[in-house]
Amino acid sequence: ASCRAFPSHSKTTLLLHTYLYQGDGDPWDVDRIEGRISDHLDASKCRKAGDRPHVQITGRALDHLELIRLYRTADVYVSAHWGEGWGLPLAEAMGMGLPTIATNFSGNTHFMT
């Protein structure tokens, strides 16, 4: 769906603050993360470069001030988590007035509707 909604010529950027949970090596390795994303897009309907959304990856842990800056520059915060715990990043984003979307799973269900 993101390929149709946000092709490479759109002005939208998907910023992923993520890491590789499983496997050997550095979990913050941007090249490995980009490779996994590329593999996924190749298997989907986003095979052509012009059809792919623009994706930027932060390949390192961010300190608190960097996270605040990240929230301030975003238009929306989306968490596709499977076990966020209490959901501090979601609460922080909401506390800054950022529209926040998350799965209906884990601790965030106590403060999100």
Side-chain angles (χ1 to χ4, degrees), residues 11-111:
K11 295 180 181 179
T12 303
T13 297
L14 173 63
L15 176 64
L16 293 176
H17 179 64
T18 189
Y19 62 95
L20 295 174
Y21 180 70
Q22 298 174 333
D24 297 329
D26 180 7
W28 295 100
D29 184 345
V30 172
D31 291 332
R32 287 181 54 217
I33 296 169
E34 287 175 346
R36 298 286 281 285
I37 293 169
S38 183
D39 290 347
H40 172 74
L41 293 174
D42 286 344
S44 71
K45 296 180 179 179
C46 287
R47 291 187 181 95
K48 295 187 297 185
D51 292 341
R52 293 182 177 211
H54 184 253
V55 178
Q56 181 180 343
I57 300 166
T58 60
R60 63 184 177 81
L62 302 177
D63 66 33
H64 186 72
L65 290 176
E66 289 173 311
L67 283 173
I68 298 299
R69 274 186 243 130
L70 183 64
Y71 294 140
R72 286 185 178 152
T73 61
D75 293 315
V76 64
Y77 183 91
V78 179
S79 176
H81 66 270
W82 281 95
E84 179 62 35
W86 183 75
L88 181 59
L90 297 162
E92 289 174 336
M94 291 172 67
M96 294 188 68
L98 190 58
T100 305
I101 302 168
T103 57
N104 189 19
F105 182 81
S106 203
N108 62 290
T109 60
H110 294 283
F111 62 87

